[in-house]
Amino acid sequence: MKKTKVLLRSGLRGDVAERAYATLRNGIMDGSIGPGQRLVELAVCDWLQVSRTPVRDALRRLQSNGLLELVPGGGLRVVSYDLNGLTELYVVREVLEGTAAGEAAKNATPAELSMLQHSIQLQRRMSADINLFALENKAFHGYIYQAAHNRFLLTSLQALHDSVALLGPTAINTSEWVDRAIGQHSAIVEAIVKRDSAKANELTRSHIRNGFEHRVLAFKRGVAPVLKA
């Protein structure tokens, strides 16, 4: 963890716990608290300058959300993925995201359909910039989650999204890969606009499988250090 002081003392206990959780979660998401790093309760208390109770609450919440895992012998560490873990994650992602696209085809409002179509246009404009495309790609999937109009599915997908974020970039993204992803996104949106739930589900599941294959390729090439066990 970075040595920057974080003062969270003010406010009620619940507020402090929430802010402790947000600080730790943000550190995990931006990589300053890296995969495999142990989080020792007393060290976290010292870093955040708060008592043990809000830190304990924050750590339990991060564990329940799948960002922390138990260390053999005791303690917690940031989740890191080996190939088996990556496979398990994408099996669930394929099912949930396919379901979300199918439900979006049934339930999306005209405004949400327009948003999805506009996202495809933005992706094409951003295709030459991997970083910009990545941001819009994240937004695109979020639009589909929202358009499904299923709060239980949305909660599951948001939790899953945090786990996917732990994987980081694959480091082998190319213009060819981006163009292929945009083509797949476009086909998914077309199915959603046509209210073809089965096709939207099928195309999305295929898209996620392609993403999994891309991740596995990066893993085997050794260019995705966050995937090391």
Side-chain angles (χ1 to χ4, degrees), residues 8 15 23 31 47 61 71-72 74 78 104 111-112 124 133 137 147 149 157 161 223 225:
L8 302 176
D15 181 54
T23 300
W47 178 53
R61 187 173 167 190
V71 177
V78 179
E112 288 166 339
R124 287 173 177 149
F133 170 77
N137 176 64
H149 291 276
L157 283 164
H161 179 267
V223 294

Side-chain angles (χ1 to χ4, degrees), residues 92-115:
V92 176
R93 187 180 179 193
E94 179 185 330
V95 173
L96 291 182
E97 295 221 19
T99 301
E103 290 302 297
K106 299 175 184 176
N107 302 321
T109 66
E112 288 166 339
L113 296 177
S114 295
M115 181 68 75

Side-chain angles (χ1 to χ4, degrees), residues 211-226:
F212 170 68
E213 292 168 1
H214 191 65
R215 289 282 184 184
V216 170
L217 178 60
F219 181 84
K220 290 182 176 179
R221 288 186 180 181
V223 294
V226 296

